[in-house]
Amino acid sequence: MTEPRVKPAQFTLTTGPVNCYPEVLLALGRPVSYDYDPVFQDFYEALSRKLQKAMGSETMPVILQGEPVLGLEAVAASLVGPQDHVLNLVSGVYGAAYGFWLRPHAASMTELRVDYNRIVTPDLLRQALHEHPETTIVALCHHDTPSGTLNPLPELAAVVREHGALLLVDSVSAWGGVEVSLEGIDVLVTGPNKCLGCPPSLSIVAASPRAWAHMKANPTAPRDSILSVLDWEEAWISGHPFPFTPSVAELNGLDAGLDRYIAEGPETVWARHARTAAAMRAGVKAMGLDLWAAEEAFASPTATAIRLPEGVDETALRTLMQTDFGVVVSSGRAETFNKLIRVGHMGPTAYPMYAVIALTALHGAMARLTDRPLNLGAAIEAAAAI
Amino acid sequence: MTEPRVKPAQFTLTTGPVNCYPEVLLALGRPVSYDYDPVFQDFYEALSRKLQKAMGSETMPVILQGEPVLGLEAVAASLVGPQDHVLNLVSGVYGAAYGFWLRPHAASMTELRVDYNRIVTPDLLRQALHEHPETTIVALCHHDTPSGTLNPLPELAAVVREHGALLLVDSVSAWGGVEVSLEGIDVLVTGPNKCLGCPPSLSIVAASPRAWAHMKANPTAPRDSILSVLDWEEAWISGHPFPFTPSVAELNGLDAGLDRYIAEGPETVWARHARTAAAMRAGVKAMGLDLWAAEEAFASPTATAIRLPEGVDETALRTLMQTDFGVVVSSGRAETFNKLIRVGHMGPTAYPMYAVIALTALHGAMARLTDRPLNLGAAIEAAAAI
Amino acid sequence: MTEPRVKPAQFTLTTGPVNCYPEVLLALGRPVSYDYDPVFQDFYEALSRKLQKAMGSETMPVILQGEPVLGLEAVAASLVGPQDHVLNLVSGVYGAAYGFWLRPHAASMTELRVDYNRIVTPDLLRQALHEHPETTIVALCHHDTPSGTLNPLPELAAVVREHGALLLVDSVSAWGGVEVSLEGIDVLVTGPNKCLGCPPSLSIVAASPRAWAHMKANPTAPRDSILSVLDWEEAWISGHPFPFTPSVAELNGLDAGLDRYIAEGPETVWARHARTAAAMRAGVKAMGLDLWAAEEAFASPTATAIRLPEGVDETALRTLMQTDFGVVVSSGRAETFNKLIRVGHMGPTAYPMYAVIALTALHGAMARLTDRPLNLGAAIEAAAAI
Amino acid sequence: MTEPRVKPAQFTLTTGPVNCYPEVLLALGRPVSYDYDPVFQDFYEALSRKLQKAMGSETMPVILQGEPVLGLEAVAASLVGPQDHVLNLVSGVYGAAYGFWLRPHAASMTELRVDYNRIVTPDLLRQALHEHPETTIVALCHHDTPSGTLNPLPELAAVVREHGALLLVDSVSAWGGVEVSLEGIDVLVTGPNKCLGCPPSLSIVAASPRAWAHMKANPTAPRDSILSVLDWEEAWISGHPFPFTPSVAELNGLDAGLDRYIAEGPETVWARHARTAAAMRAGVKAMGLDLWAAEEAFASPTATAIRLPEGVDETALRTLMQTDFGVVVSSGRAETFNKLIRVGHMGPTAYPMYAVIALTALHGAMARLTDRPLNLGAAIEAAAAI
């Protein structure tokens, strides 16, 4: 091979968008209904109830009509008001970036930071809340995707609940791939385009009764705007008008994605996400590479971040993986850029065989870029043994 | 028939969402690519260029990742700044509503209002600008959909250009169904989900060089927000990162919609929109009903608004049309609600036969709700004679 | 309009292939499974059982892997043997043509013929059997599509049963659109590509226990051939091998077509077929044209044949209907060619509105080809009144 | 793992049906046209010409409306007549089975047999023709799929041409995955459902001018039957009627499959088939298993047959591969059943990474069934090194 030329991917093993389940791709092609058609409105209500059940949400989740960055921006604007003191937990690039949207709405914002290859612990959180007893809202990025690390949500939620603040969680790239109890969570933002195996275009927001009350009492919460969460509160009820035209085709896709998730069984889905990530980590280590996470226990079941060896350029590496093996993976972002690559294990790619595929491509590309001895055979055997 | 029960629509003849072209529905099911995949980035650049050519835009149009209300809200926030004096032309519900998004960003906003069954004339506009020489931005709703009336864009644009203000046009439900020259238009907002026959989920914004300059100079133009237009300026260039994950499946649909538009030929497409609307209007009049538009020349080629006879309830009418004939049409909105119904002629429904279908269903439902003598035979003959 | 140029059809209102239900088109795109995959074999068994239930068949129907001409040819070869005396009932082109496949396998074949715009009556059949008491097999084309006439199946079946012969029925273009009891029928051949709204590619054969016994005893029944029915007897049982690779995508389509048929409810489906045909016939008569059927009671609920007025060329007529109105209909065949045109009412086109569409196009094209006064208004009013 | 339960396949790596290219699955959902619609007839003619060009056929290839067993049976019946002496070359189960269809039509049939893990050589063929100078037709199975062996087509064709007999080739599972020149071939039968990545439902028959002449002169060649090749000779010409309704959806799929084949470039397609098979063979050997082919040079680029070690049951093996790894492969057939398993490299699965996937699953399943030491690491390294 002399001229690496990029060819269409055979395997999109990224942290999202991932390719979708076949059922979802087909559902996108269903006839597009008028949003005032009662048949569509019945569908929307049934879809909302299906989503509520899948999430275990006390109230009806809201579907916002844009990929999860919309959900995150809208929730920041809707929940955080001039009386709020925010504690933003930062264990990675996305957690840090979220402060940009939280801060302008709040009376104050404090950050609890840890290294980007570590996680926020309950002890650190307890101490931060002790130092900032005025905190009314704690914000957490559950899976900080650019690091591939997963914060201990239930334990952190318990600490927040004890303190009394509201807990706002970005679980975009974790929900659906790992068990998430809404117990102790006030707002959870996620999307269909990661572990549910749907395309990017919608946000999902589940809020507790007290979070709804907080948003309604917030004088700066947007109304009559795409950034409004409140506008959508009753949109799910058949017969109620939508604030604006929802993304009909994407909702059809979400419907199919939820049906598949429920039919397969959430526990089964979570288990294969976990097993795929475990296979990937075992393979990476056996190959002779290092995980990005400071401790393996920090690594997410929905993505694996691999530290780049000295002198290996991430663009060169990813290009070779695509050119020579048809495998597309994700780079780092901001502070993690050019320090790691990431392999997603999400939805249709959360099967252990995809760890084998990723390891094979990773080894093949790496071998052209570094003299470091790397053992493909050992990697595959370790992955296959999980 | 005793118990009207709503059944799935056979014919969605609304003002949008309309059902999509078959090519578009199939394209939605294409594999979903990663947004950093160079193959996807090349596709996005090619798609943008295709769109630019179809629009005849001097600069590259921007695709925003939400249905056209996002485009409208984002453009209001991005273009209008504290130095701007806005003149909002109001000939209908949507034009009036747009003031809600324009006003907060501007130094001042004035309205030029006409009755909602009439259009803004060049003379009225000239006079308004004469009274408000400080005007820096004129906003116009091209086709005010809740009235089915089409403002004379080229003539109004000439008046604005003469004055020197920027012209911001909402052509969401007209572009693609009628000829639209960008000559004299500074910002045009449209979307794929009307006359291009795609699902609702994207906005298209074409801006003139001086509009781009105005946005960049605007201190309140959003950045790092879903409401930002500026963030997307260079997103079309392959290799440049996207501000956030674009709606991959919807872009695939837009690609197919544009291909179809170009293959059929824009002139042919516009001609069948015009002919379908003409057939509909001829049929409505021959049946013995009245158009909403004060003069037939005001009526849009992309939708026909029909005035409800005294005592006919619009919900009862639309329900019967769906229940007994499988035809779904649109109601009025706000001030036009319960005063008219609307039949869309957009994309795949812009064929004269759909006027026949709509007239048949309209007559059948009307006959159950009013004693007014209505002539179906004459209606069909008039429509078929166009 | 000067140069009629054929354009893609907007409305395919033929006697088949008809366009498919959207659910079916989507199902065709499901992943294609290996035929030895146990998951596929389970699917095939479940599909067969679903089909059996929908048909009300005592034994398991057989799905042959080619459009219904395969089923008809295979059944002729499989059922008819050197000991058989066949009585072929001929009320149209397809009934007559079937003799070509029946005769070579039989000891003798007799025909009972009626004019091609009439039907076979029980009396005529009784008399024919009286004259040919040696008859072992009676063959009947249920709906002779090139004439649009429907033979009285239950009454004829009773006469055959009384005599003791086997009854072989071609119900390709009737089953699924009209009620068909298998009571008294020994072999019924149909296909998914007419009233089930699926594409053409499969045959369905339901045989009674004594028909199975007859085929097994037939020394000339094909084996190890695409023409073999017997090879497929146990192919539906998961774990049994298929004689050869079945048409996986088409089976996925059939699965969706059956699901839709069952979900909508067969009675509802039959009722809308009947109502559409009644609307069409009422419109044709009110317009001033003649039905092909000698008596309206002979006309099929799944297609309407309209006699061409003197001097109207069928190709010119159908071309104009497609060119100017986007409507495609069927011509006659053989003896009925250039004497009639046919409008199908099958599956997704069996809604009364399609009669309106067909009548509008028919009138518009006819008006350019004949001076005969034809009344579109009356036609539509008559159709809409059904 | 205690209870192996079969789960849906993630990877269908069989010798066909293989899963289809995404483009093909989408094309199956295109609207279904009427076969007399001129737009469809133009499409069919264009499709035939595209196929002719892709095959390099002097005459127009015929598309028969059933999966390739139909093509094989129809060609046997159409080409072979009572004056013909057939020499059937048998290097495997499919070649042997074909004699069943050739023999009844011929004056005589002789077989040249080699072991089912070997190929027919030019020398053996020359000798057989020397012994049977009366031979008028030589029949060859190009890739005898149940053995995964590829006969040397160009060399054998040269010998046949020298002798003067007609050469009939079954290239169902080779054409499109390996270079096939029609030079010296009189009838080639193939199908879209192997290396073109389409579903099973169509046959393709390319015949030389002298083969057409031979069929026309054959008094026993079927006419007015699904087994007729002659009926379809001119069906490709727009305006000519089809013998019966073609499989519209499948033709749409074939159209997309051909477009993809041509766009990617046949040489590129063949190269990745060859490379995938080479990777698979290298991996099998490095793992410690044996190829079925007596010499590696006999192995087909479109499938790899692996000899089962003593005591390993093929059903147990394949079940474990599916249950535990989501990988479906093919068994042997007849004489090769339970002696080998087969991994297909066809169309969308002809990428070297699929060899890695197959090897991983094969090793994992084998390890549970035999004590024979098998080296996964070495297998993957060998495969990845190709």
Side-chain angles (χ1 to χ4, degrees):
Chain A
M1 191 205 69
T2 45
E3 282 289 13
R5 200 179 56 84
V6 175
K7 284 177 294 189
Q10 297 302 315
F11 304 97
T12 294
L13 304 181
T14 59
T15 54
V18 291
N19 199 354
C20 302
Y21 288 113
E23 296 91 329
V24 170
L25 290 177
L26 290 176
L28 295 173
R30 292 182 195 162
V32 167
S33 300
Y34 182 51
D35 54 341
Y36 283 75
D37 183 335
V39 176
F40 177 74
Q41 298 200 335
D42 289 354
F43 160 78
Y44 195 94
E45 179 168 333
L47 172 62
S48 296
R49 291 187 188 280
K50 195 184 292 182
L51 181 58
Q52 181 184 25
K53 199 170 161 195
M55 299 187 81
S57 170
E58 187 179 346
T59 64
M60 187 60 70
V62 160
I63 304 168
L64 297 183
Q65 311 299 315
E67 79 102 43
V69 294
L70 168 61
L72 292 168
E73 184 178 4
V75 160
S78 298
L79 188 71
V80 183
Q83 265 75 44
D84 286 313
H85 299 271
V86 174
L87 172 61
N88 189 30
L89 309 182
V90 177
S91 62
V93 172
Y94 282 0
Y98 201 41
F100 179 85
W101 281 336
L102 295 166
R103 194 188 307 262
H105 306 290
S108 75
M109 191 185 86
T110 321
E111 286 181 346
L112 163 52
R113 285 184 169 262
V114 298
D115 288 349
Y116 283 9
N117 60 349
R118 310 200 65 89
I119 57 173
V120 178
T121 63
D123 281 350
L124 288 170
L125 173 57
R126 199 170 287 116
Q127 184 183 334
L129 286 170
H130 182 75
E131 289 167 13
H132 295 281
E134 74 283 8
T135 300
T136 57
I137 295 174
V138 176
L140 171 70
C141 185
H142 185 192
H143 169 211
D144 209 302
T145 336
S147 306
T149 48
L150 191 84
N151 282 301
L153 183 51
E155 292 79 0
L156 297 175
V159 175
V160 175
R161 186 48 56 110
E162 196 176 290
H163 171 276
L166 294 166
L167 175 59
L168 188 179
V169 178
D170 162 4
S171 189
V172 172
S173 60
W175 187 89
V178 302
E179 184 169 9
V180 176
S181 161
L182 293 190
E183 181 72 32
I185 297 176
D186 292 291
V187 182
L188 183 122
V189 179
T190 188
N193 55 316
K194 303 281 180 178
C195 301
L196 272 186
C198 299
S201 190
L202 298 173
S203 299
I204 296 168
V205 176
S208 68
R210 63 180 198 147
W212 276 109
H214 197 87
M215 286 191 279
K216 287 176 191 177
N218 179 7
T220 58
R223 284 283 193 181
D224 297 311
S225 166
I226 197 167
L227 287 173
S228 176
V229 174
L230 292 170
D231 287 358
W232 287 85
E233 187 185 6
E234 300 193 330
W236 63 274
I237 304 170
S238 186
H240 284 226
F242 296 102
F244 57 85
T245 310
S247 299
V248 181
E250 303 286 341
L251 293 163
N252 288 333
L254 172 57
D255 184 54
L258 280 172
D259 281 346
R260 196 199 188 288
Y261 179 69
I262 294 162
E264 184 176 353
E267 286 81 6
T268 307
V269 174
W270 305 332
R272 62 176 169 80
H273 280 79
R275 198 172 150 225
T276 305
M280 188 70 203
R281 294 193 303 268
V284 165
K285 292 187 295 178
M287 191 189 287
L289 290 168
D290 299 319
L291 297 173
W292 170 259
E295 298 183 23
E296 186 169 343
F298 301 165
S300 171
T302 64
T304 299
I306 302 134
R307 187 178 290 273
L308 290 177
E310 200 66 31
V312 172
D313 177 69
E314 76 86 34
T315 304
L317 181 68
R318 289 194 305 111
T319 300
L320 278 168
M321 288 177 75
Q322 179 163 8
T323 303
D324 290 15
F325 299 92
V327 173
V328 178
V329 298
S330 294
S331 63
R333 292 275 181 277
E335 287 89 341
T336 69
F337 183 75
N338 212 18
K339 295 193 181 145
L340 53 81
I341 62 158
R342 295 175 294 148
V343 177
H345 321 299
M346 293 177 176
T349 61
Y351 290 92
M353 189 62 84
Y354 289 99
V356 169
I357 294 166
L359 290 164
T360 302
L362 176 59
H363 177 273
M366 204 66 103
R368 286 173 174 77
L369 298 173
T370 174
D371 291 336
R372 183 161 169 170
L374 294 173
N375 192 331
L376 174 59
I380 302 301
E381 292 192 335
I386 295 296
Chain B
M1 190 206 70
T2 45
E3 283 288 14
R5 202 180 55 84
V6 175
K7 285 177 292 189
Q10 296 302 317
F11 303 97
T12 294
L13 304 181
T14 58
T15 53
V18 293
N19 199 354
C20 303
Y21 288 113
E23 296 91 329
V24 170
L25 290 177
L26 290 176
L28 295 173
R30 292 182 194 162
V32 166
S33 300
Y34 182 51
D35 54 340
Y36 284 75
D37 183 336
V39 176
F40 177 76
Q41 298 200 334
D42 288 355
F43 159 78
Y44 195 94
E45 178 168 334
L47 172 63
S48 297
R49 291 187 187 280
K50 196 184 291 182
L51 181 59
Q52 182 184 26
K53 198 170 162 195
M55 300 187 81
S57 170
E58 186 178 347
T59 64
M60 187 58 72
V62 161
I63 304 168
L64 296 184
Q65 311 299 315
E67 79 101 44
V69 294
L70 169 60
L72 292 168
E73 184 179 4
V75 160
S78 298
L79 188 72
V80 183
Q83 263 75 44
D84 286 314
H85 298 272
V86 174
L87 172 63
N88 190 30
L89 309 182
V90 176
S91 62
V93 173
Y94 282 1
Y98 200 39
F100 178 85
W101 281 337
L102 295 166
R103 193 187 307 262
H105 305 291
S108 75
M109 189 185 86
T110 321
E111 287 181 343
L112 162 52
R113 284 185 169 262
V114 298
D115 288 348
Y116 283 9
N117 61 348
R118 308 199 67 87
I119 57 173
V120 178
T121 62
D123 281 350
L124 288 170
L125 174 56
R126 200 170 287 115
Q127 184 182 334
L129 287 170
H130 182 77
E131 288 167 14
H132 293 283
E134 75 282 10
T135 299
T136 56
I137 295 174
V138 176
L140 171 71
C141 185
H142 185 191
H143 169 210
D144 209 301
T145 336
S147 306
T149 47
L150 191 84
N151 283 300
L153 183 50
E155 292 79 0
L156 298 175
V159 176
V160 175
R161 185 50 55 111
E162 198 175 287
H163 171 276
L166 294 166
L167 176 58
L168 187 178
V169 178
D170 162 3
S171 189
V172 172
S173 59
W175 188 87
V178 302
E179 184 169 10
V180 176
S181 161
L182 294 190
E183 181 72 32
I185 298 176
D186 292 291
V187 182
L188 183 123
V189 179
T190 189
N193 55 315
K194 304 280 181 180
C195 300
L196 271 186
C198 299
S201 190
L202 297 174
S203 299
I204 296 167
V205 177
S208 68
R210 61 179 200 148
W212 276 111
H214 197 88
M215 287 191 278
K216 287 177 191 175
N218 179 6
T220 59
R223 285 282 193 181
D224 297 312
S225 167
I226 195 165
L227 288 172
S228 176
V229 174
L230 292 170
D231 287 357
W232 288 85
E233 187 185 5
E234 300 193 327
W236 63 274
I237 304 170
S238 186
H240 283 226
F242 296 102
F244 56 86
T245 310
S247 298
V248 181
E250 304 286 342
L251 293 163
N252 288 332
L254 172 57
D255 184 54
L258 281 171
D259 282 346
R260 196 199 188 288
Y261 179 71
I262 294 161
E264 184 176 352
E267 285 81 5
T268 307
V269 174
W270 304 332
R272 63 175 168 82
H273 279 78
R275 198 172 151 224
T276 304
M280 188 70 203
R281 293 194 303 268
V284 165
K285 291 187 295 178
M287 191 188 288
L289 291 169
D290 299 319
L291 297 174
W292 170 258
E295 299 183 23
E296 186 169 344
F298 302 164
S300 171
T302 64
T304 299
I306 302 136
R307 187 178 290 273
L308 289 178
E310 201 66 31
V312 172
D313 178 69
E314 75 88 33
T315 304
L317 181 69
R318 290 194 303 110
T319 301
L320 278 169
M321 289 179 74
Q322 179 163 8
T323 303
D324 290 14
F325 298 91
V327 172
V328 178
V329 298
S330 294
S331 63
R333 293 274 181 276
E335 286 89 341
T336 69
F337 183 75
N338 211 20
K339 296 194 180 144
L340 54 79
I341 62 158
R342 294 176 294 148
V343 177
H345 321 298
M346 293 176 176
T349 62
Y351 290 92
M353 189 61 84
Y354 289 100
V356 170
I357 294 166
L359 290 164
T360 301
L362 176 59
H363 177 273
M366 204 66 102
R368 287 174 175 75
L369 297 174
T370 175
D371 291 335
R372 183 163 170 169
L374 294 172
N375 191 331
L376 175 59
I380 303 301
E381 292 191 336
I386 295 296
Chain C
M1 192 205 70
T2 45
E3 282 287 15
R5 202 179 56 84
V6 174
K7 285 177 293 188
Q10 296 302 315
F11 304 98
T12 294
L13 304 181
T14 58
T15 55
V18 292
N19 199 353
C20 302
Y21 288 113
E23 297 91 329
V24 170
L25 290 177
L26 290 176
L28 295 174
R30 291 181 195 163
V32 167
S33 300
Y34 182 50
D35 54 341
Y36 284 76
D37 183 336
V39 176
F40 176 75
Q41 298 200 334
D42 288 355
F43 160 78
Y44 195 94
E45 178 167 334
L47 172 62
S48 297
R49 291 185 187 282
K50 197 184 291 182
L51 181 59
Q52 181 183 27
K53 198 170 161 195
M55 300 187 81
S57 170
E58 186 178 347
T59 63
M60 187 59 71
V62 160
I63 304 167
L64 297 184
Q65 311 299 314
E67 81 102 43
V69 295
L70 168 61
L72 292 168
E73 185 179 5
V75 160
S78 297
L79 189 71
V80 183
Q83 264 76 44
D84 286 315
H85 298 271
V86 174
L87 173 62
N88 189 30
L89 309 180
V90 177
S91 62
V93 173
Y94 283 0
Y98 200 40
F100 178 85
W101 281 337
L102 294 166
R103 193 187 308 262
H105 306 290
S108 75
M109 190 184 86
T110 321
E111 286 181 345
L112 163 53
R113 282 184 170 264
V114 298
D115 289 349
Y116 283 9
N117 61 348
R118 309 199 67 86
I119 57 174
V120 178
T121 62
D123 283 348
L124 288 170
L125 174 56
R126 201 172 287 116
Q127 184 183 332
L129 286 171
H130 182 75
E131 289 167 13
H132 294 282
E134 76 281 9
T135 300
T136 55
I137 295 174
V138 176
L140 172 71
C141 185
H142 186 191
H143 169 211
D144 209 301
T145 336
S147 307
T149 49
L150 191 83
N151 283 300
L153 183 50
E155 292 79 1
L156 297 176
V159 176
V160 175
R161 187 48 56 111
E162 198 176 288
H163 170 277
L166 294 166
L167 176 59
L168 188 178
V169 178
D170 162 3
S171 189
V172 172
S173 60
W175 187 88
V178 303
E179 184 169 10
V180 176
S181 161
L182 293 190
E183 181 71 33
I185 297 176
D186 292 292
V187 182
L188 183 122
V189 179
T190 190
N193 55 315
K194 303 280 180 178
C195 301
L196 271 186
C198 299
S201 191
L202 297 174
S203 300
I204 295 167
V205 177
S208 68
R210 62 180 199 148
W212 276 110
H214 196 87
M215 287 191 279
K216 287 177 191 175
N218 179 7
T220 59
R223 285 283 195 181
D224 296 313
S225 166
I226 196 166
L227 287 173
S228 176
V229 174
L230 292 169
D231 288 357
W232 287 85
E233 187 185 6
E234 299 192 330
W236 63 273
I237 303 170
S238 186
H240 284 226
F242 296 103
F244 57 85
T245 309
S247 298
V248 181
E250 303 286 341
L251 293 163
N252 288 333
L254 172 57
D255 184 53
L258 282 171
D259 281 347
R260 197 198 187 289
Y261 179 70
I262 293 162
E264 185 176 353
E267 285 81 6
T268 307
V269 174
W270 305 333
R272 62 176 169 82
H273 280 78
R275 198 172 150 225
T276 305
M280 188 69 203
R281 293 193 303 268
V284 165
K285 292 187 295 178
M287 192 189 288
L289 291 169
D290 299 320
L291 297 174
W292 170 259
E295 299 183 21
E296 186 168 345
F298 301 164
S300 171
T302 63
T304 298
I306 302 135
R307 187 177 290 274
L308 290 178
E310 201 65 31
V312 173
D313 177 68
E314 74 88 34
T315 304
L317 181 69
R318 290 193 304 110
T319 300
L320 277 168
M321 289 178 74
Q322 180 163 7
T323 303
D324 288 15
F325 298 91
V327 173
V328 179
V329 298
S330 294
S331 63
R333 293 271 182 280
E335 286 88 341
T336 68
F337 183 74
N338 210 18
K339 296 195 180 143
L340 53 80
I341 62 158
R342 295 176 294 148
V343 177
H345 320 298
M346 293 178 176
T349 62
Y351 290 92
M353 189 61 83
Y354 289 101
V356 170
I357 295 166
L359 290 164
T360 302
L362 175 59
H363 177 273
M366 204 65 103
R368 287 173 174 76
L369 297 173
T370 173
D371 290 336
R372 183 163 169 168
L374 294 173
N375 192 331
L376 173 59
I380 303 300
E381 293 192 336
I386 296 295
Chain D
M1 192 205 69
T2 44
E3 283 289 12
R5 200 178 58 83
V6 174
K7 284 177 293 189
Q10 296 303 315
F11 304 97
T12 294
L13 304 181
T14 58
T15 54
V18 293
N19 200 354
C20 303
Y21 287 113
E23 295 91 330
V24 170
L25 290 176
L26 290 176
L28 295 174
R30 292 182 194 161
V32 167
S33 301
Y34 182 51
D35 53 341
Y36 284 75
D37 183 336
V39 176
F40 177 75
Q41 298 200 333
D42 288 354
F43 160 79
Y44 195 94
E45 177 168 334
L47 172 62
S48 297
R49 291 187 187 281
K50 197 184 290 181
L51 181 58
Q52 181 184 25
K53 198 169 161 197
M55 298 186 83
S57 170
E58 186 179 346
T59 64
M60 187 59 70
V62 161
I63 304 168
L64 297 183
Q65 310 299 315
E67 80 102 43
V69 293
L70 168 61
L72 291 169
E73 185 179 3
V75 160
S78 298
L79 188 72
V80 182
Q83 264 75 44
D84 286 314
H85 298 271
V86 174
L87 172 63
N88 189 30
L89 309 181
V90 177
S91 62
V93 173
Y94 282 1
Y98 200 39
F100 178 84
W101 281 336
L102 295 166
R103 192 187 308 261
H105 305 292
S108 75
M109 190 185 85
T110 321
E111 286 181 345
L112 162 53
R113 285 185 168 263
V114 298
D115 288 349
Y116 283 9
N117 61 348
R118 310 199 65 87
I119 56 173
V120 178
T121 62
D123 283 350
L124 288 170
L125 173 57
R126 200 170 287 114
Q127 183 183 335
L129 286 171
H130 183 75
E131 289 167 12
H132 294 282
E134 75 283 9
T135 299
T136 57
I137 296 175
V138 175
L140 171 72
C141 185
H142 186 190
H143 170 210
D144 209 301
T145 335
S147 306
T149 47
L150 190 85
N151 282 300
L153 183 50
E155 291 79 359
L156 298 176
V159 175
V160 175
R161 188 45 59 109
E162 198 175 288
H163 170 275
L166 293 166
L167 175 59
L168 188 178
V169 178
D170 163 3
S171 189
V172 172
S173 60
W175 187 87
V178 302
E179 184 169 10
V180 175
S181 161
L182 294 190
E183 180 72 34
I185 298 177
D186 292 291
V187 183
L188 183 123
V189 179
T190 189
N193 55 316
K194 303 281 180 179
C195 301
L196 271 186
C198 299
S201 190
L202 297 174
S203 299
I204 295 167
V205 176
S208 68
R210 62 180 199 147
W212 275 111
H214 196 88
M215 287 191 278
K216 288 177 191 175
N218 179 7
T220 59
R223 283 283 194 181
D224 296 312
S225 166
I226 196 165
L227 287 173
S228 175
V229 174
L230 292 170
D231 287 357
W232 288 85
E233 187 184 7
E234 299 193 329
W236 64 273
I237 303 170
S238 186
H240 283 227
F242 296 103
F244 56 86
T245 310
S247 298
V248 181
E250 303 286 340
L251 293 163
N252 288 333
L254 172 57
D255 184 54
L258 281 172
D259 281 346
R260 196 198 187 288
Y261 179 70
I262 294 161
E264 184 176 354
E267 286 80 6
T268 307
V269 174
W270 305 332
R272 61 176 169 81
H273 279 79
R275 196 172 152 225
T276 305
M280 188 69 203
R281 294 193 302 268
V284 165
K285 293 187 295 178
M287 191 189 288
L289 291 169
D290 299 319
L291 298 173
W292 170 258
E295 298 183 22
E296 187 169 344
F298 301 164
S300 171
T302 64
T304 299
I306 301 136
R307 186 178 290 273
L308 289 178
E310 200 66 31
V312 172
D313 177 69
E314 76 88 33
T315 304
L317 181 69
R318 289 194 305 110
T319 300
L320 278 168
M321 288 177 75
Q322 179 162 9
T323 304
D324 289 15
F325 298 92
V327 173
V328 178
V329 298
S330 295
S331 63
R333 294 272 183 278
E335 286 90 339
T336 69
F337 183 74
N338 211 18
K339 295 194 182 146
L340 53 80
I341 62 159
R342 294 176 294 148
V343 177
H345 320 299
M346 293 176 176
T349 61
Y351 290 93
M353 189 61 83
Y354 289 100
V356 169
I357 294 166
L359 290 163
T360 301
L362 175 60
H363 177 273
M366 205 64 105
R368 288 172 173 76
L369 297 173
T370 174
D371 290 337
R372 183 163 169 170
L374 295 172
N375 192 332
L376 174 59
I380 302 302
E381 293 192 335
I386 296 296

